[in-house]
Structure formats: structure tokens, C-alpha cells
Amino acid sequence: MAPSKQEIRLEKKKKKVAALANLTGLHEEDIAAGTSEPGCSQIPSVCDTEPEHKRPKMDEKTTVSRKEYRKLKKALEEKKKQLKSVPKIKLKTQGEVASLDVRACDRIPIFLEDIQHLLMQSVFGKESPRTPWRWCTLEKHQQVTQTVVLVIEGIYLYHYSAYQETFSETKKIFHTKLETVMPPYQEGRIVEEFASVPLTMSQRELLIRQYGSLEEALEAMQDPILMLKSIFPIEQTIPLEGSRVEKNKLPPEDVFSRTKLLLSPLQMIDEGYPLPLRGELATKCQDYLLTKDKYAEVTAQSPIFGLDCEMCKTNLGYNELTRISIVNEMYESVYETLVMPPNPIVDYLTPYSGITAEMMKEARKTVPDVQREIRELLPADAILVGQSLNVDLNAMGMMHPYVIDTSIIYNLTGDKRFKSKLQVLAREFLGEKIQENPEGHDSVEDSVATVKLVKLKLSKGMEFGDVALTKKRENRHKDKSFEQLLAEIEGTSLEKSLQKGRKELPALIVSSTATKANYEQYIASKRITQDGGKTDEECGKISCYQKKNNKAAIAKTCANIMDSAFAMTHVKLDSSQLTDERLPDTLARVDKWIGMIWKAMAYNGLFVVVMGGSPISSSGASFMEVKKLSRADKLEKLEKLPKK
């Protein structure tokens, strides 16, 4: 009697499950005793041979019994469920090109700020104000059980690259290894940067009430100039007593510092600004010049210059510089010239550029001439202002660290992806009509408009002209002090519920070799405790410990790690440990520390290691991995189960 369709389908399912079980090592013995190895299943694989008949006969020996089939199906479903719940870091293009597996000459590093965004998403999940969307995706972030950060100050990228054989544990643990631009070396700077990530829900709520949104709080707390100092040659000035206060004093018409409007390196990369970085950017910008050999630190009183360029199409098929205009804060023209491009013009683009063939007969200067004159003209702390200024700087073949882009600081849609034209911004906020000349745009007129827009925003506030920021700040509490807000938050049921679960208490552990930073500015804790010092309750909602040396800090981390949803440890290696004779042993010890913390962590925990903070180089290395339950761990757990 021929088998029915239902019986044939069941037989096919059995064989498929048997084949999949054979591949994954999930068979009956594996489930019951946990003693077999992957690939050693006694169940034959149906993938090894081609079946002779499309419809198997019932008198053929079945691959598995019904009982075995149900067990295998249940085990496979459980495994599938586990795989779906495991967090994973998936690199995007920007993360892939920063990988240490990429040749150094082709590598474009990520920034410490990128790592902060990853940490915030692991802590706050969907409510995180920032995500690492630019360089990676943290899949199943809601399943992250804890986040552990180890900051190792004193060593940097060179030490890992040159002594990779020493980092056996590190290479075994981490698949994601990226070059990372670190902030300029300064005592306590790295930990302060990491500590600016909110560590508790109560702290998050407090910052929202203070600033209107957590995103704005982060922007207010972080130094906008910090990472620029790692990229551009900015002199580290030591201010005289009272001089810094004087420099940061706001001009009479400004209500906040103009430095808050500067683009960060991340924004500059995303917007296509030229930067003196390695990899593809270095290839693209290899012939570009810096506007100064050395820059001064920008302040609230640094001068603003509006810049606009006009371009014409040449026989190379793209637009090249033909006119440049620069105005100062008083809307006075300080530089104006026509530029003869190196290639013949095929289209003057007159309706947009305002350039005609007759005008270009008077052009005598070349791009190198313009570059030289601009380098002489601009002061060392000049702030350049423009609408989509990246286009102008690329046309000029120049790079500048201090930039304000009116297409970014003004937003009429609430979506940063959609930018308004300068003509629209001038009409809506200045009440002026520009770019209406039928003979084309006027670069002086455009430059003046951008400076006016910046000065208007400086006189009104950060949220002025930005629909998204205005909405976020509708409930901002300006009349309450920090202490009042802290007391209000600590009295909420949310805070009380967090206090009940000790797993939610973040831990901050530093060694005595690491200089204490001003943590009070960033976290709710009021002090760092010494051994046998204050209790957690006296310290605030964050458990803080300062140990006598690096070894003790690592030991404390391993002992307390399971009590914390977020743990950050900072150790520092002094110069005596990094001599040629002691360096291999020191790095081997660092590798051992990493292995110890990894072993002590919870499964599905995110582990981030940052090597950086050296006076020699700002090229650091960051490592990140989610701890998964391996097959060996599963077998070990099964062996510990009581025998039936």
C-alpha cells in the first residue's frame, strides 16, 4: 500500500531534522548526557547521498522514531530561540574600514565618541539618545545582561600591533578590533569622557529635566573641541590666572558660547568635510592644505568669518573653484577674488554661480595663490561659517577644524536628514530675500546671510531655529537647582525600584595610579571610596572604589562584576612598566587581566576594552565582544546536573 501524503511529509521532516541535528551536534545523546562531540552523531545524514526514489517506501528503515523526532524538534527550537536572543555586534562600512584587520594605510579610525554611543545603547536600549548607527549595529540590545568597560591608560595601538603574540587571550576573545582616535593625553581625561555616559535611569531623568533632553545634556557636558585636538595641530595653551575666564566670557549679544555650534569630527565625516585622517580620506585629501600650520584653542570670543565659493564646470566633468568671498562679523568683505581653474571651463553655470566668460577674462589668481593668501589672512582660532561649507572647502582644497554649518544648526523639518536652502533660512529667520538675481548667485550676499544666521542663533539660544530641539525643551525646568532636581528624582518610584535590584547598581573602579577625575560633574556619586571606606549608600547610587594598584582594581572588578549592570574599570601603566625590558611582561599581564574579567562576566554581557591615553600617540585601539554561551560551557553545565 502506497504511503499517504501526510506520511510522506512526516518522513521528509524527520530526515531534515536528523540532518540538521547531525550538523549542529544536537542528537539524543547530546541532549541526555552531554558527552558526544559535534559531528559524531549516530544518526545518518540524508545529505550524504542522493535518494533513489522521490517517494520513500514504508518498508524502508526510518531515520528516526517519532519519539526521537519530537525530542530533536524541541531541542532545535530551543537552540533557535537561544540564537535569536543573543546580542551581536554587526559592523557597518565605517566600522569595517576601522578594523585592525585592514591595512593601516587603508584604515579610517572611529572615535571615542563612537564607543560612547555603543555603551549608551547597551545601557538604555531603545531610549538611548545616541546609537552607534554610524559604524555598527548592536542587534538584540535589549538582551544585553551587563556592560563592562576596561580602560587601560598608558598603552596604545602600537603596543597591540607590535606585540600581538603576547595578547593570546585578547585575540581569542575579541573578533571586533578597531583603531580608535583617543582624546589628547591629559590626566583623568579618558575616564571623564567615559563617565559622561549616564549610568543610571535616575541620572538620565535628572539630565532630561535639566536640559530638556538627554541628547542635549550630552552635548552640553561634552567638550566639542576635544577630539579636534587629536586630528588637527591645535596648540595646548596653559592659560594664565584669569585669562581663561576672560576668553570664555560671552560677547554682549551672545547667550551661549559659539563653540557649542562647531561641528564635531563625527559630523564632519558624515557631512563630507575634508579631514587629515588616514585611509580613504588621506587619499582624497592628499593634496589639501591646512588653513594654518598650527591652530590656537577656540573660545567664546574667537572671530567668525563667513565663506562662500562659486564653481564652474570644467572639461574633467566636475565643478572647480572660480570665485571665493570671505566676510567678517561686521559683514565687511575681507577677501574677494576670481580664480582661474587649472582646467578649461565648459559650462559657467551662470544661473547659479553668477560667473560669466566676460568676468573670467579678469581672473589671474590660481588655487595655490588663494590657498596661500587665506593661510595668511585667517587668525589661528578663526571660525568659518557657511551653508554646506564642506563643498566650499573641498573646492578650495583646504581643511579647517572650526566650522559652523548653517544647514545643520537650523532645521525646519525636525528631521536632520532634510536640510533647508539658504534662501529659505534667510527668508524665514532674517526676513530677507537673497539669491533672486536672475544673473546668478552672489557669494558675498550668501556669506553675509550665513554670518547673520549664526549671530541670530547666538542671541536667541541653542534651540532657536531647530524644530526638534524646541519640542524637546518644552518641559525644561529652568527654575530648579541641581540639588532640588536630584532630590525630586531620588524620591520617585522608579529610583526606589532601581535601588531594590542591586544588579542595577553601576560600579566604577579605579587604581591609585589613575588620577581621580572630577566625577561629581558626571555621576550622582559624591566621592570615590578608599578600601574599607564609605558604604554604597553613602556613596550615592553608584558603587565607587579606588584600589591601591592595578592588580587590586582588576581583582575587585572580577569580584563585584556580577552585581553590576554597568561596570567601568580604569587602570594606568606608568613609564617604568613600559621600558623595553619590561614591556613584554607588562603586556602579558594586561592580556591576563582581560581574560580574568571576561571569565567573570555574565553571559550576554558586552565587554569593551579601550587601550589609549598615551602622551606619545592619540591612535588607540578598542575591542568589543558579547559573551555567548559556548558549546563547551553548555557541556560543562550539563555535566554538573544531577544524574537521574
Side-chain angles (χ1 to χ4, degrees):
M1 181 178 177
S4 65
K5 291 183 179 181
Q6 184 179 3
E7 290 173 331
I8 292 172
R9 284 196 299 268
L10 179 60
E11 186 67 21
K12 287 182 178 180
K13 285 183 178 180
K14 289 179 181 179
K15 289 186 177 182
K16 287 180 180 179
V17 170
L20 185 56
N22 188 42
L23 291 173
T24 59
L26 272 171
H27 44 73
E28 185 176 4
E29 293 179 6
D30 208 10
I31 299 168
T35 55
S36 62
E37 294 296 326
C40 297
S41 172
Q42 300 302 313
I43 304 173
S45 172
V46 297
C47 299
D48 296 335
T49 59
E50 186 72 22
E52 295 181 3
H53 306 285
K54 292 184 178 180
R55 291 193 175 189
K57 296 179 180 180
M58 289 301 294
D59 58 350
E60 292 180 351
K61 186 178 179 180
T62 57
T63 308
V64 290
S65 66
R66 288 178 180 269
K67 184 178 180 180
E68 290 173 329
Y69 167 69
R70 286 194 295 269
K71 286 185 177 180
L72 288 171
K73 184 178 180 181
K74 183 178 179 180
L76 287 169
E77 287 176 350
E78 182 64 27
K79 185 174 182 68
K80 187 178 180 181
K81 183 179 179 181
Q82 290 177 355
L83 290 174
K84 283 186 176 181
S85 64
V86 174
K88 181 181 179 182
I89 298 174
K90 188 175 181 180
L91 292 180
K92 295 184 178 180
T93 302
Q94 193 63 47
E96 290 174 347
V97 298
S99 173
L100 297 186
D101 295 330
V102 175
R103 292 188 311 167
C105 59
D106 298 326
R107 201 183 297 149
I108 301 178
I110 62 171
F111 295 87
L112 183 60
E113 189 177 346
D114 287 312
I115 306 298
Q116 289 176 304
H117 295 170
L118 174 64
L119 297 180
M120 276 187 280
Q121 187 176 34
S122 71
V123 172
F124 294 114
K126 292 182 179 179
E127 296 184 356
S128 175
R130 305 282 175 81
T131 65
W133 65 269
R134 195 183 75 88
W135 63 281
C136 81
T137 300
L138 180 58
E139 298 179 349
K140 304 295 178 184
H141 54 77
Q142 67 274 16
Q143 300 297 332
V144 174
T145 55
Q146 66 176 168
T147 303
V148 180
V149 184
L150 174 61
V151 180
I152 307 169
E153 190 174 350
I155 59 176
Y156 56 103
L157 178 60
Y158 161 77
H159 293 103
Y160 178 79
S161 301
Y163 294 88
Q164 286 196 42
E165 68 282 355
T166 307
F167 292 95
S168 57
E169 286 293 320
T170 304
K171 289 194 292 185
K172 187 189 306 181
I173 293 169
F174 297 100
H175 296 93
T176 305
K177 305 179 285 287
L178 309 177
E179 180 175 349
T180 308
V181 178
M182 303 301 293
Y185 181 76
Q186 182 179 340
E187 293 292 339
R189 172 64 75 178
I190 292 180
V191 175
E192 285 188 0
E193 284 302 299
F194 272 113
S196 66
V197 177
L199 304 183
T200 65
M201 292 298 291
S202 61
Q203 189 184 6
R204 170 184 174 276
E205 294 299 318
L206 176 64
L207 293 174
I208 289 175
R209 289 173 181 251
Q210 278 189 292
Y211 294 95
S213 73
L214 193 55
E215 183 175 3
E216 288 308 300
L218 293 172
E219 290 183 1
M221 292 162 60
Q222 292 178 332
D223 183 356
I225 319 302
L226 181 64
M227 296 309 301
L228 289 172
K229 295 178 182 177
S230 296
I231 302 173
F232 288 91
I234 300 174
E235 293 183 320
Q236 303 291 322
T237 58
I238 302 176
L240 298 174
E241 186 176 355
S243 62
R244 180 172 293 278
V245 175
E246 184 64 28
K247 286 184 177 181
N248 288 326
K249 184 180 179 181
L250 297 177
E253 63 275 12
D254 294 356
V255 297
F256 67 97
S257 176
R258 55 192 59 186
T259 61
K260 295 295 183 181
L261 296 178
L262 296 178
L263 295 189
S264 69
L266 292 187
Q267 289 175 305
M268 295 177 79
I269 289 177
D270 292 340
E271 297 296 330
Y273 278 81
L275 288 174
L277 292 174
R278 291 209 308 255
E280 295 177 4
L281 287 176
T283 303
K284 175 185 175 182
C285 305
Q286 59 183 344
D287 297 325
Y288 284 36
L289 293 180
L290 295 173
T291 51
K292 304 294 287 187
D293 291 329
K294 288 185 179 180
Y295 298 91
E297 289 190 21
V298 68
T299 69
Q301 297 185 14
S302 294
I304 286 176
F305 294 88
L307 184 150
D308 188 66
C309 297
E310 303 296 349
M311 278 75 77
C312 296
K313 189 175 182 179
T314 66
N315 64 350
L316 292 184
Y318 55 82
N319 299 340
E320 296 190 53
L321 180 68
T322 50
R323 183 184 179 186
I324 179 172
S325 302
I326 301 178
V327 300
N328 60 19
E329 278 189 73
M330 305 304 294
Y331 316 127
E332 301 167 339
S333 178
V334 295
Y335 189 78
E336 169 67 34
T337 185
L338 293 170
V339 186
M340 179 59 67
N343 301 294
I345 298 174
V346 297
D347 189 345
Y348 289 91
L349 304 174
T350 304
Y352 307 101
S353 67
I355 303 295
T356 63
E358 189 68 24
M359 290 173 59
M360 291 305 295
K361 290 179 181 179
E362 305 297 324
R364 297 289 182 271
K365 291 183 180 178
T366 63
V367 172
D369 294 332
V370 171
Q371 291 174 335
R372 183 182 65 257
E373 291 171 355
I374 288 179
R375 282 168 57 86
E376 295 173 356
L377 170 70
L378 294 177
D381 63 339
I383 298 175
L384 293 182
V385 170
Q387 175 83 359
S388 298
L389 198 56
N390 55 301
V391 177
D392 303 293
L393 289 173
N394 279 305
M396 294 161 55
M398 304 193 80
M399 297 176 284
H400 190 77
Y402 309 135
V403 172
I404 298 177
D405 194 327
T406 50
S407 72
I408 295 176
I409 65 173
Y410 281 88
N411 187 286
L412 300 178
T413 64
D415 189 333
K416 294 182 179 180
R417 295 174 297 176
F418 301 106
K419 299 177 181 178
S420 300
K421 295 181 180 180
L422 180 61
Q423 185 182 44
V424 175
L425 297 178
R427 182 182 69 240
E428 294 297 323
F429 297 103
L430 302 177
E432 298 180 2
K433 296 180 180 181
I434 65 171
Q435 299 178 350
E436 292 193 339
N437 189 335
E439 296 181 358
H441 294 182
D442 182 348
S443 53
V444 175
E445 181 183 56
D446 291 352
S447 299
V448 170
T450 58
V451 174
K452 286 183 176 179
L453 285 168
V454 170
K455 294 187 70 175
L456 179 63
K457 191 177 184 76
L458 288 172
S459 68
K460 299 292 185 179
M462 278 289 291
E463 68 273 18
F464 178 79
D466 194 317
V467 173
L469 292 186
T470 302
K471 289 180 178 179
K472 289 177 181 178
R473 296 200 175 189
E474 286 178 353
N475 299 321
R476 181 175 177 180
H477 297 269
K478 296 182 178 180
D479 55 338
K480 293 186 179 181
S481 67
F482 182 89
E483 288 73 16
Q484 288 175 320
L485 290 171
L486 181 60
E488 181 179 331
I489 294 299
E490 288 180 344
T492 63
S493 57
L494 173 63
E495 178 65 22
K496 292 177 181 178
S497 65
L498 288 178
Q499 291 181 33
K500 292 178 182 178
R502 184 165 174 75
K503 184 71 173 176
E504 294 296 330
L505 290 176
L508 177 63
I509 302 170
V510 297
S511 66
S512 61
T513 56
T515 303
K516 284 196 295 184
N518 183 20
Y519 294 106
E520 290 82 355
Q521 182 180 356
Y522 304 101
I523 58 178
S525 171
K526 301 302 181 184
R527 66 190 68 81
I528 294 179
T529 61
Q530 304 291 338
D531 292 339
K534 306 294 182 182
T535 64
D536 292 337
E537 289 74 21
E538 291 174 307
C539 269
K541 302 303 177 293
I542 298 175
S543 302
C544 301
Y545 306 93
Q546 185 170 26
K547 309 303 289 184
K548 59 184 178 181
N549 53 42
N550 292 333
K551 182 179 179 181
I554 298 298
K556 184 67 175 178
T557 301
C558 295
N560 285 38
I561 201 169
M562 294 301 289
D563 293 333
S564 302
F566 185 99
M568 181 173 68
T569 301
H570 176 212
V571 296
K572 183 179 178 181
L573 305 172
D574 58 47
S575 56
S576 64
Q577 296 172 294
L578 302 175
T579 60
D580 292 340
E581 298 78 13
R582 298 184 62 185
L583 185 58
D585 291 338
T586 299
L587 298 181
R589 196 177 308 117
V590 169
D591 185 62
K592 182 180 178 182
W593 293 342
I594 293 172
M596 290 170 60
I597 294 176
W598 176 259
K599 187 175 181 180
M601 282 180 57
Y603 292 112
N604 283 9
L606 173 65
F607 189 24
V608 177
V609 176
V610 177
M611 297 179 184
S614 169
I616 301 175
S617 174
S618 62
S619 294
S622 58
F623 309 80
M624 54 219 69
E625 195 66 53
V626 175
K627 185 175 181 180
K628 303 177 182 66
L629 186 63
S630 66
R631 178 174 175 77
D633 296 325
K634 292 178 183 177
L635 294 176
E636 183 180 348
K637 284 190 171 185
L638 287 171
E639 289 174 355
K640 292 180 180 179
L641 293 175
K643 303 295 181 180
K644 293 183 179 179

